Amino acid sequence: GNIPEDWQLVSVKRLFSIGRGRVIAQSELNETGYPVYSSQTKDNGCLGYIDTYDYDYPQLTWTTDGANAGSIFLRTGYYNCTNVCGTLSPIDDLVDLRYQKYALEHIAYNERRIDTNGYKIMNNEMAIIKTLLPPLSIQHQIADYLDIKCAQIDTIIAKEQSVIEKLQEYKRAIITQAITRGLNPSAKMKKNRPEWIGMVPEHWDVKKIKYLTSKIGSGKTPKGGSDVYTDEGVLFIRSQNVYNGYFDLSSVAFISHEIDSTMSNTRVYRNDVLLNITGGSIGRSCLYESDEPANVNQHVCIIRCNNQMKPKFMQYFWNSRIGKISIDIYQSGANREGLNFTEIGNTLIPTPELYEQNQIIDYLDGKCGVINNVIQQKHSLINKLTEYKQSLIYEVVTGKKEVPHV
């Protein structure tokens, strides 16, 4: 759109020397030293620390590959960057790095291209992106204003996120209490092994999951990978779709019926419990409650209950503290982020009679439903605040909104 008359629209390569970080192996990282920035966005992109530094001056970095491609950061102090970080060092003093961070944060996001691993903006592509260059005094003014406004918005978002985390922990405590101690506070209790399961009602069993299921198995990625995904067809469930108690289909993929016919052993049916078994989302679990045809990839395990276990009770188990403890024990024992089917089958789960499982399910559906509604309201507020922040940055860095002196 239109920009103020005294502003320029210039290529990134006119303002910055463009570089790239280097390969830094995970094995080199320590808990102290100089930060190593990578493609992630959590912890301000910090992956870990090493004893040396490659940069001792302020500059911008951007994520070149993956889901976070185009994310812009202002780096200061002594630090390092991995090879998935591009670097932008100003050529002269016409640039306020804070302003360009805000400007490129909006511009680069819209310039990234789709790639098999998410998105990409490589050095040659960043070089020709056009960015805005107001007079230096205006850059300072805008940066000062946005620093204050964005900090205010981020503070509110952080508080709301903290409330969500507390609500989620409260929900997990309610689930754990119900599936380990039942709903009768006067019931006689007995000790169990392993001890971390705690006390359970005297009349309950504690059984291995393999005796309560007719199937434990995961899917596979079709030949051709993401290139064979379609916009319609058979729902293809991946780990990024499986959350604790619900599906997130914002990044849903589909496969053709022809490909699905070659994957008949990994089809998902109503009341299958889905459990993420690899990576950072390991342990997330939800229940498939649809009749729509679906399949899964190798990162998601299908747990199909037999007539001794209610699927919803099984899902609540994986969403409880003892479910998470089970996963943590397997991870620490094998020193890896992954579960195999033998470990899942040998996991112990409290097993009341079916009528009592149904009572617990009804109780938890009511309790968790109320908490989930509050969490959803918090997420909605965070989304609105995030959208407002992005809109504010866009209007200010493009000169559509005049900012006051601060």
Side-chain angles (χ1 to χ4, degrees):
N2 296 326
I3 60 174
E5 287 185 358
D6 56 344
W7 291 29
Q8 299 179 58
L9 191 62
V10 299
S11 300
V12 168
K13 63 184 177 182
R14 279 188 51 194
L15 301 177
F16 297 98
S17 295
I18 303 174
R20 192 78 177 260
R22 63 183 174 90
V23 175
I24 300 176
Q26 188 82 26
S27 58
E28 298 179 55
L29 300 177
N30 302 311
E31 294 184 0
T32 60
Y34 299 101
V36 174
Y37 296 116
S38 187
S39 61
Q40 69 181 32
T41 54
K42 66 179 181 180
D43 299 326
N44 197 34
C46 183
L47 193 64
Y49 301 85
I50 59 176
D51 294 334
T52 60
Y53 59 87
D54 294 335
Y55 307 101
D56 60 358
Y57 49 85
Q59 64 178 340
L60 300 180
T61 68
W62 85 92
T63 302
T64 59
D65 298 77
N68 301 318
S71 299
I72 308 291
F73 299 91
L74 173 58
R75 304 301 185 194
T76 58
Y78 301 89
Y79 58 95
N80 304 273
C81 294
T82 69
N83 59 311
V84 290
C85 288
T87 61
L88 298 173
S89 179
I91 293 172
D92 52 41
D93 57 3
L94 296 177
V95 171
D96 183 320
L97 283 175
R98 295 175 303 148
Y99 168 82
Q100 284 299 333
K101 176 197 178 295
Y102 288 121
L104 284 171
E105 201 166 52
H106 169 73
I107 296 168
Y109 181 85
N110 293 292
E111 293 288 342
R112 59 188 188 166
R113 60 179 167 88
I114 296 176
D115 182 69
T116 53
N117 294 321
Y119 298 91
K120 274 187 184 293
I121 297 184
M122 307 312 288
N123 285 39
N124 61 320
E125 295 166 323
M126 177 61 78
I128 60 175
I129 289 176
K130 295 290 177 60
T131 187
L132 292 156
L133 186 67
L136 190 57
S137 61
I138 300 297
Q139 292 182 54
H140 294 330
Q141 187 177 339
I142 289 173
D144 290 343
Y145 174 78
L146 286 177
D147 281 350
I148 293 172
K149 299 298 290 186
C150 291
Q152 292 171 344
I153 297 170
D154 289 343
T155 297
I156 299 172
I157 289 175
K159 288 180 179 178
E160 295 298 323
Q161 191 61 51
S162 176
V163 172
I164 289 173
E165 291 170 3
K166 290 176 182 176
L167 286 168
Q168 289 172 334
E169 186 56 36
Y170 174 56
K171 182 173 71 171
R172 184 168 292 173
I174 290 175
I175 293 172
T176 304
Q177 175 79 8
I179 69 163
T180 57
R181 304 184 73 86
L183 304 180
N184 181 5
S186 60
K188 290 185 177 180
M189 309 297 287
K190 64 180 179 181
K191 291 183 178 180
N192 276 283
R193 297 188 66 86
E195 293 181 358
W196 49 262
I197 289 182
M199 305 281 283
V200 300
E202 200 172 62
H203 61 287
W204 285 20
D205 290 324
V206 175
K207 297 181 178 180
K208 291 183 177 181
I209 285 178
K210 64 183 177 182
Y211 300 127
L212 303 170
T213 55
S214 60
K215 179 182 179 65
I216 301 175
S218 66
K220 62 181 180 179
T221 295
K223 186 177 181 180
S226 60
D227 290 341
V228 303
Y229 294 165
T230 60
D231 294 330
E232 57 183 17
V234 177
L235 180 65
F236 191 61
I237 299 170
R238 298 168 293 168
S239 57
Q240 60 259 51
N241 303 128
V242 177
Y243 281 77
N244 287 327
Y246 69 96
F247 279 103
D248 179 1
L249 299 180
S250 59
S251 59
V252 67
F254 294 89
I255 55 176
S256 68
H257 289 277
E258 290 75 18
I259 291 176
D260 174 66
S261 68
T262 68
M263 301 169 61
S264 58
N265 193 46
T266 60
R267 287 198 186 116
V268 178
Y269 298 100
R270 176 181 282 275
N271 289 327
D272 280 349
V273 178
L274 302 181
L275 175 70
N276 287 352
I277 55 175
T278 65
S281 67
I282 190 169
R284 294 199 313 227
S285 175
C286 62
L287 187 66
Y288 192 70
E289 299 181 275
S290 172
D291 292 318
E292 180 182 352
N295 220 305
V296 294
N297 72 3
Q298 71 272 23
H299 304 296
V300 181
C301 180
I302 300 169
I303 302 175
R304 190 167 295 150
C305 298
N306 62 24
N307 59 9
Q308 298 181 63
M309 172 60 59
K310 291 293 180 179
K312 194 68 174 286
F313 190 91
M314 175 73 72
Q315 183 237 295
Y316 275 129
F317 164 77
W318 288 114
N319 294 161
S320 72
R321 286 174 179 165
I322 60 171
K324 301 307 177 190
I325 290 173
S326 301
I327 290 169
D328 290 343
I329 289 172
Y330 288 131
Q331 283 184 272
S332 61
N335 194 28
R336 70 188 191 281
E337 284 197 352
L339 295 175
N340 61 48
F341 306 143
T342 300
E343 292 167 340
I344 294 170
N346 287 330
T347 299
L348 292 166
I349 177 174
T351 312
E353 294 291 334
L354 290 176
Y355 79 90
E356 200 166 355
Q357 290 182 40
N358 281 327
Q359 291 175 347
I360 291 169
I361 290 167
D362 290 342
Y363 169 80
L364 288 176
D365 282 351
K367 286 286 189 180
C368 294
V370 173
I371 298 171
N372 289 339
N373 286 337
V374 178
I375 290 175
Q376 183 57 46
Q377 292 170 11
K378 298 294 182 184
H379 278 304
S380 179
L381 176 58
I382 289 173
N383 289 338
K384 288 177 181 177
L385 287 167
T386 302
E387 290 172 3
Y388 169 68
K389 177 182 171 183
Q390 292 170 344
S391 175
L392 178 65
I393 291 172
Y394 165 72
E395 291 181 350
V396 171
V397 300
T398 57
K400 293 174 175 58
K401 176 182 175 67
E402 189 173 348
V403 302
H405 288 280
V406 293

PDB file of all heavy atoms in Angstrom, residues 252-277:
ATOM      1  N   VAL A 252      -4.161 -29.846   8.918  1.00  0.00           N
ATOM      2  CA  VAL A 252      -4.567 -31.197   8.565  1.00  0.00           C
ATOM      3  C   VAL A 252      -4.098 -31.559   7.157  1.00  0.00           C
ATOM      4  O   VAL A 252      -3.980 -30.704   6.274  1.00  0.00           O
ATOM      5  CB  VAL A 252      -6.098 -31.337   8.683  1.00  0.00           C
ATOM      6  CG1 VAL A 252      -6.803 -30.496   7.628  1.00  0.00           C
ATOM      7  CG2 VAL A 252      -6.515 -32.790   8.581  1.00  0.00           C
ATOM      8  N   ALA A 253      -3.808 -32.843   6.966  1.00  0.00           N
ATOM      9  CA  ALA A 253      -3.427 -33.369   5.654  1.00  0.00           C
ATOM     10  C   ALA A 253      -4.398 -34.486   5.266  1.00  0.00           C
ATOM     11  O   ALA A 253      -5.066 -35.078   6.130  1.00  0.00           O
ATOM     12  CB  ALA A 253      -1.996 -33.902   5.683  1.00  0.00           C
ATOM     13  N   PHE A 254      -4.465 -34.758   3.985  1.00  0.00           N
ATOM     14  CA  PHE A 254      -5.296 -35.847   3.481  1.00  0.00           C
ATOM     15  C   PHE A 254      -4.466 -36.711   2.531  1.00  0.00           C
ATOM     16  O   PHE A 254      -3.490 -36.246   1.938  1.00  0.00           O
ATOM     17  CB  PHE A 254      -6.520 -35.307   2.729  1.00  0.00           C
ATOM     18  CG  PHE A 254      -7.496 -34.561   3.599  1.00  0.00           C
ATOM     19  CD1 PHE A 254      -7.359 -33.193   3.811  1.00  0.00           C
ATOM     20  CD2 PHE A 254      -8.559 -35.224   4.206  1.00  0.00           C
ATOM     21  CE1 PHE A 254      -8.247 -32.503   4.605  1.00  0.00           C
ATOM     22  CE2 PHE A 254      -9.457 -34.542   5.004  1.00  0.00           C
ATOM     23  CZ  PHE A 254      -9.304 -33.175   5.214  1.00  0.00           C
ATOM     24  N   ILE A 255      -4.875 -37.961   2.389  1.00  0.00           N
ATOM     25  CA  ILE A 255      -4.292 -38.839   1.383  1.00  0.00           C
ATOM     26  C   ILE A 255      -5.422 -39.381   0.519  1.00  0.00           C
ATOM     27  O   ILE A 255      -6.591 -39.372   0.922  1.00  0.00           O
ATOM     28  CB  ILE A 255      -3.502 -40.007   2.018  1.00  0.00           C
ATOM     29  CG1 ILE A 255      -4.373 -40.798   3.000  1.00  0.00           C
ATOM     30  CG2 ILE A 255      -2.248 -39.494   2.694  1.00  0.00           C
ATOM     31  CD1 ILE A 255      -3.691 -42.025   3.594  1.00  0.00           C
ATOM     32  N   SER A 256      -5.082 -39.841  -0.655  1.00  0.00           N
ATOM     33  CA  SER A 256      -6.111 -40.346  -1.568  1.00  0.00           C
ATOM     34  C   SER A 256      -6.642 -41.686  -1.076  1.00  0.00           C
ATOM     35  O   SER A 256      -5.996 -42.391  -0.282  1.00  0.00           O
ATOM     36  CB  SER A 256      -5.529 -40.511  -2.970  1.00  0.00           C
ATOM     37  OG  SER A 256      -4.574 -41.559  -2.978  1.00  0.00           O
ATOM     38  N   HIS A 257      -7.819 -42.069  -1.550  1.00  0.00           N
ATOM     39  CA  HIS A 257      -8.388 -43.369  -1.191  1.00  0.00           C
ATOM     40  C   HIS A 257      -7.518 -44.502  -1.715  1.00  0.00           C
ATOM     41  O   HIS A 257      -7.453 -45.577  -1.093  1.00  0.00           O
ATOM     42  CB  HIS A 257      -9.812 -43.473  -1.748  1.00  0.00           C
ATOM     43  CG  HIS A 257     -10.790 -42.599  -1.024  1.00  0.00           C
ATOM     44  ND1 HIS A 257     -11.398 -42.965   0.163  1.00  0.00           N
ATOM     45  CD2 HIS A 257     -11.263 -41.355  -1.316  1.00  0.00           C
ATOM     46  CE1 HIS A 257     -12.203 -41.995   0.579  1.00  0.00           C
ATOM     47  NE2 HIS A 257     -12.139 -41.003  -0.312  1.00  0.00           N
ATOM     48  N   GLU A 258      -6.835 -44.270  -2.845  1.00  0.00           N
ATOM     49  CA  GLU A 258      -5.961 -45.290  -3.399  1.00  0.00           C
ATOM     50  C   GLU A 258      -4.785 -45.564  -2.460  1.00  0.00           C
ATOM     51  O   GLU A 258      -4.427 -46.731  -2.213  1.00  0.00           O
ATOM     52  CB  GLU A 258      -5.436 -44.857  -4.778  1.00  0.00           C
ATOM     53  CG  GLU A 258      -6.487 -44.839  -5.873  1.00  0.00           C
ATOM     54  CD  GLU A 258      -7.427 -43.649  -5.769  1.00  0.00           C
ATOM     55  OE1 GLU A 258      -7.069 -42.662  -5.072  1.00  0.00           O
ATOM     56  OE2 GLU A 258      -8.507 -43.698  -6.383  1.00  0.00           O
ATOM     57  N   ILE A 259      -4.173 -44.512  -1.939  1.00  0.00           N
ATOM     58  CA  ILE A 259      -3.065 -44.695  -0.997  1.00  0.00           C
ATOM     59  C   ILE A 259      -3.572 -45.310   0.299  1.00  0.00           C
ATOM     60  O   ILE A 259      -2.937 -46.201   0.881  1.00  0.00           O
ATOM     61  CB  ILE A 259      -2.360 -43.346  -0.732  1.00  0.00           C
ATOM     62  CG1 ILE A 259      -1.612 -42.890  -1.988  1.00  0.00           C
ATOM     63  CG2 ILE A 259      -1.405 -43.451   0.448  1.00  0.00           C
ATOM     64  CD1 ILE A 259      -0.971 -41.527  -1.870  1.00  0.00           C
ATOM     65  N   ASP A 260      -4.728 -44.854   0.762  1.00  0.00           N
ATOM     66  CA  ASP A 260      -5.299 -45.413   1.986  1.00  0.00           C
ATOM     67  C   ASP A 260      -5.521 -46.917   1.851  1.00  0.00           C
ATOM     68  O   ASP A 260      -5.344 -47.666   2.827  1.00  0.00           O
ATOM     69  CB  ASP A 260      -6.616 -44.712   2.306  1.00  0.00           C
ATOM     70  CG  ASP A 260      -7.337 -45.341   3.485  1.00  0.00           C
ATOM     71  OD1 ASP A 260      -6.814 -45.259   4.612  1.00  0.00           O
ATOM     72  OD2 ASP A 260      -8.424 -45.935   3.277  1.00  0.00           O
ATOM     73  N   SER A 261      -5.880 -47.380   0.658  1.00  0.00           N
ATOM     74  CA  SER A 261      -6.136 -48.806   0.454  1.00  0.00           C
ATOM     75  C   SER A 261      -4.880 -49.644   0.635  1.00  0.00           C
ATOM     76  O   SER A 261      -4.961 -50.848   0.907  1.00  0.00           O
ATOM     77  CB  SER A 261      -6.723 -49.037  -0.944  1.00  0.00           C
ATOM     78  OG  SER A 261      -5.761 -48.755  -1.956  1.00  0.00           O
ATOM     79  N   THR A 262      -3.706 -49.028   0.489  1.00  0.00           N
ATOM     80  CA  THR A 262      -2.439 -49.739   0.707  1.00  0.00           C
ATOM     81  C   THR A 262      -2.012 -49.691   2.176  1.00  0.00           C
ATOM     82  O   THR A 262      -0.989 -50.271   2.531  1.00  0.00           O
ATOM     83  CB  THR A 262      -1.317 -49.134  -0.157  1.00  0.00           C
ATOM     84  OG1 THR A 262      -1.011 -47.812   0.306  1.00  0.00           O
ATOM     85  CG2 THR A 262      -1.730 -49.077  -1.617  1.00  0.00           C
ATOM     86  N   MET A 263      -2.773 -48.970   3.002  1.00  0.00           N
ATOM     87  CA  MET A 263      -2.441 -48.791   4.420  1.00  0.00           C
ATOM     88  C   MET A 263      -3.601 -49.250   5.297  1.00  0.00           C
ATOM     89  O   MET A 263      -3.933 -48.619   6.301  1.00  0.00           O
ATOM     90  CB  MET A 263      -2.103 -47.317   4.690  1.00  0.00           C
ATOM     91  CG  MET A 263      -0.941 -46.789   3.864  1.00  0.00           C
ATOM     92  SD  MET A 263      -0.769 -44.983   3.957  1.00  0.00           S
ATOM     93  CE  MET A 263      -0.481 -44.732   5.710  1.00  0.00           C
ATOM     94  N   SER A 264      -4.224 -50.351   4.918  1.00  0.00           N
ATOM     95  CA  SER A 264      -5.431 -50.810   5.618  1.00  0.00           C
ATOM     96  C   SER A 264      -5.150 -51.179   7.076  1.00  0.00           C
ATOM     97  O   SER A 264      -6.038 -51.077   7.935  1.00  0.00           O
ATOM     98  CB  SER A 264      -6.043 -52.003   4.889  1.00  0.00           C
ATOM     99  OG  SER A 264      -5.109 -53.074   4.793  1.00  0.00           O
ATOM    100  N   ASN A 265      -3.925 -51.576   7.386  1.00  0.00           N
ATOM    101  CA  ASN A 265      -3.606 -51.996   8.747  1.00  0.00           C
ATOM    102  C   ASN A 265      -3.458 -50.830   9.713  1.00  0.00           C
ATOM    103  O   ASN A 265      -3.405 -51.019  10.924  1.00  0.00           O
ATOM    104  CB  ASN A 265      -2.315 -52.826   8.749  1.00  0.00           C
ATOM    105  CG  ASN A 265      -2.093 -53.541  10.061  1.00  0.00           C
ATOM    106  OD1 ASN A 265      -3.010 -54.148  10.610  1.00  0.00           O
ATOM    107  ND2 ASN A 265      -0.883 -53.460  10.588  1.00  0.00           N
ATOM    108  N   THR A 266      -3.370 -49.624   9.178  1.00  0.00           N
ATOM    109  CA  THR A 266      -3.172 -48.454  10.058  1.00  0.00           C
ATOM    110  C   THR A 266      -4.371 -47.512  10.011  1.00  0.00           C
ATOM    111  O   THR A 266      -4.253 -46.344  10.374  1.00  0.00           O
ATOM    112  CB  THR A 266      -1.897 -47.692   9.664  1.00  0.00           C
ATOM    113  OG1 THR A 266      -2.016 -47.239   8.302  1.00  0.00           O
ATOM    114  CG2 THR A 266      -0.681 -48.576   9.791  1.00  0.00           C
ATOM    115  N   ARG A 267      -5.506 -47.997   9.585  1.00  0.00           N
ATOM    116  CA  ARG A 267      -6.704 -47.162   9.593  1.00  0.00           C
ATOM    117  C   ARG A 267      -7.152 -46.897  11.021  1.00  0.00           C
ATOM    118  O   ARG A 267      -6.987 -47.731  11.920  1.00  0.00           O
ATOM    119  CB  ARG A 267      -7.834 -47.845   8.812  1.00  0.00           C
ATOM    120  CG  ARG A 267      -7.611 -47.817   7.303  1.00  0.00           C
ATOM    121  CD  ARG A 267      -8.897 -48.089   6.551  1.00  0.00           C
ATOM    122  NE  ARG A 267      -8.616 -48.204   5.131  1.00  0.00           N
ATOM    123  CZ  ARG A 267      -8.790 -49.303   4.414  1.00  0.00           C
ATOM    124  NH1 ARG A 267      -9.279 -50.392   4.998  1.00  0.00           N
ATOM    125  NH2 ARG A 267      -8.511 -49.321   3.132  1.00  0.00           N
ATOM    126  N   VAL A 268      -7.734 -45.736  11.199  1.00  0.00           N
ATOM    127  CA  VAL A 268      -8.237 -45.309  12.507  1.00  0.00           C
ATOM    128  C   VAL A 268      -9.763 -45.419  12.492  1.00  0.00           C
ATOM    129  O   VAL A 268     -10.414 -45.015  11.521  1.00  0.00           O
ATOM    130  CB  VAL A 268      -7.811 -43.861  12.805  1.00  0.00           C
ATOM    131  CG1 VAL A 268      -8.378 -43.404  14.139  1.00  0.00           C
ATOM    132  CG2 VAL A 268      -6.290 -43.756  12.805  1.00  0.00           C
ATOM    133  N   TYR A 269     -10.309 -45.948  13.584  1.00  0.00           N
ATOM    134  CA  TYR A 269     -11.754 -46.102  13.695  1.00  0.00           C
ATOM    135  C   TYR A 269     -12.263 -45.381  14.933  1.00  0.00           C
ATOM    136  O   TYR A 269     -11.493 -45.040  15.846  1.00  0.00           O
ATOM    137  CB  TYR A 269     -12.118 -47.589  13.756  1.00  0.00           C
ATOM    138  CG  TYR A 269     -11.722 -48.346  12.506  1.00  0.00           C
ATOM    139  CD1 TYR A 269     -10.566 -49.121  12.484  1.00  0.00           C
ATOM    140  CD2 TYR A 269     -12.498 -48.277  11.353  1.00  0.00           C
ATOM    141  CE1 TYR A 269     -10.190 -49.821  11.342  1.00  0.00           C
ATOM    142  CE2 TYR A 269     -12.138 -48.966  10.196  1.00  0.00           C
ATOM    143  CZ  TYR A 269     -10.982 -49.735  10.202  1.00  0.00           C
ATOM    144  OH  TYR A 269     -10.619 -50.413   9.063  1.00  0.00           O
ATOM    145  N   ARG A 270     -13.564 -45.142  14.951  1.00  0.00           N
ATOM    146  CA  ARG A 270     -14.189 -44.485  16.104  1.00  0.00           C
ATOM    147  C   ARG A 270     -13.782 -45.197  17.397  1.00  0.00           C
ATOM    148  O   ARG A 270     -13.743 -46.414  17.468  1.00  0.00           O
ATOM    149  CB  ARG A 270     -15.706 -44.490  15.947  1.00  0.00           C
ATOM    150  CG  ARG A 270     -16.443 -43.899  17.153  1.00  0.00           C
ATOM    151  CD  ARG A 270     -17.939 -43.939  16.986  1.00  0.00           C
ATOM    152  NE  ARG A 270     -18.412 -42.873  16.118  1.00  0.00           N
ATOM    153  CZ  ARG A 270     -18.682 -41.627  16.511  1.00  0.00           C
ATOM    154  NH1 ARG A 270     -18.511 -41.288  17.787  1.00  0.00           N
ATOM    155  NH2 ARG A 270     -19.109 -40.735  15.659  1.00  0.00           N
ATOM    156  N   ASN A 271     -13.462 -44.394  18.405  1.00  0.00           N
ATOM    157  CA  ASN A 271     -13.072 -44.850  19.748  1.00  0.00           C
ATOM    158  C   ASN A 271     -11.668 -45.422  19.833  1.00  0.00           C
ATOM    159  O   ASN A 271     -11.301 -46.003  20.863  1.00  0.00           O
ATOM    160  CB  ASN A 271     -14.076 -45.853  20.326  1.00  0.00           C
ATOM    161  CG  ASN A 271     -15.386 -45.193  20.691  1.00  0.00           C
ATOM    162  OD1 ASN A 271     -15.405 -44.033  21.098  1.00  0.00           O
ATOM    163  ND2 ASN A 271     -16.489 -45.920  20.543  1.00  0.00           N
ATOM    164  N   ASP A 272     -10.863 -45.245  18.778  1.00  0.00           N
ATOM    165  CA  ASP A 272      -9.437 -45.549  18.912  1.00  0.00           C
ATOM    166  C   ASP A 272      -8.771 -44.449  19.745  1.00  0.00           C
ATOM    167  O   ASP A 272      -9.044 -43.261  19.555  1.00  0.00           O
ATOM    168  CB  ASP A 272      -8.758 -45.603  17.543  1.00  0.00           C
ATOM    169  CG  ASP A 272      -8.994 -46.920  16.819  1.00  0.00           C
ATOM    170  OD1 ASP A 272      -9.502 -47.865  17.459  1.00  0.00           O
ATOM    171  OD2 ASP A 272      -8.679 -47.001  15.619  1.00  0.00           O
ATOM    172  N   VAL A 273      -7.903 -44.848  20.666  1.00  0.00           N
ATOM    173  CA  VAL A 273      -7.100 -43.899  21.434  1.00  0.00           C
ATOM    174  C   VAL A 273      -5.810 -43.657  20.642  1.00  0.00           C
ATOM    175  O   VAL A 273      -5.133 -44.614  20.244  1.00  0.00           O
ATOM    176  CB  VAL A 273      -6.771 -44.438  22.836  1.00  0.00           C
ATOM    177  CG1 VAL A 273      -5.890 -43.455  23.600  1.00  0.00           C
ATOM    178  CG2 VAL A 273      -8.056 -44.717  23.606  1.00  0.00           C
ATOM    179  N   LEU A 274      -5.483 -42.397  20.398  1.00  0.00           N
ATOM    180  CA  LEU A 274      -4.282 -42.039  19.650  1.00  0.00           C
ATOM    181  C   LEU A 274      -3.259 -41.440  20.602  1.00  0.00           C
ATOM    182  O   LEU A 274      -3.582 -40.569  21.409  1.00  0.00           O
ATOM    183  CB  LEU A 274      -4.618 -41.061  18.533  1.00  0.00           C
ATOM    184  CG  LEU A 274      -5.660 -41.560  17.522  1.00  0.00           C
ATOM    185  CD1 LEU A 274      -5.906 -40.519  16.438  1.00  0.00           C
ATOM    186  CD2 LEU A 274      -5.237 -42.879  16.903  1.00  0.00           C
ATOM    187  N   LEU A 275      -2.019 -41.916  20.507  1.00  0.00           N
ATOM    188  CA  LEU A 275      -0.958 -41.504  21.422  1.00  0.00           C
ATOM    189  C   LEU A 275       0.290 -41.155  20.621  1.00  0.00           C
ATOM    190  O   LEU A 275       0.783 -41.977  19.841  1.00  0.00           O
ATOM    191  CB  LEU A 275      -0.640 -42.642  22.401  1.00  0.00           C
ATOM    192  CG  LEU A 275       0.530 -42.441  23.362  1.00  0.00           C
ATOM    193  CD1 LEU A 275       0.183 -41.382  24.411  1.00  0.00           C
ATOM    194  CD2 LEU A 275       0.900 -43.770  24.035  1.00  0.00           C
ATOM    195  N   ASN A 276       0.806 -39.946  20.811  1.00  0.00           N
ATOM    196  CA  ASN A 276       2.064 -39.560  20.166  1.00  0.00           C
ATOM    197  C   ASN A 276       3.220 -40.306  20.831  1.00  0.00           C
ATOM    198  O   ASN A 276       3.336 -40.290  22.058  1.00  0.00           O
ATOM    199  CB  ASN A 276       2.288 -38.054  20.261  1.00  0.00           C
ATOM    200  CG  ASN A 276       1.372 -37.274  19.344  1.00  0.00           C
ATOM    201  OD1 ASN A 276       0.658 -37.848  18.529  1.00  0.00           O
ATOM    202  ND2 ASN A 276       1.378 -35.960  19.471  1.00  0.00           N
ATOM    203  N   ILE A 277       4.083 -40.914  20.025  1.00  0.00           N
ATOM    204  CA  ILE A 277       5.121 -41.791  20.590  1.00  0.00           C
ATOM    205  C   ILE A 277       6.537 -41.338  20.273  1.00  0.00           C
ATOM    206  O   ILE A 277       7.495 -42.016  20.642  1.00  0.00           O
ATOM    207  CB  ILE A 277       4.929 -43.242  20.110  1.00  0.00           C
ATOM    208  CG1 ILE A 277       4.883 -43.331  18.579  1.00  0.00           C
ATOM    209  CG2 ILE A 277       3.680 -43.847  20.729  1.00  0.00           C
ATOM    210  CD1 ILE A 277       4.812 -44.766  18.045  1.00  0.00           C
TER     211      ILE A 277
END
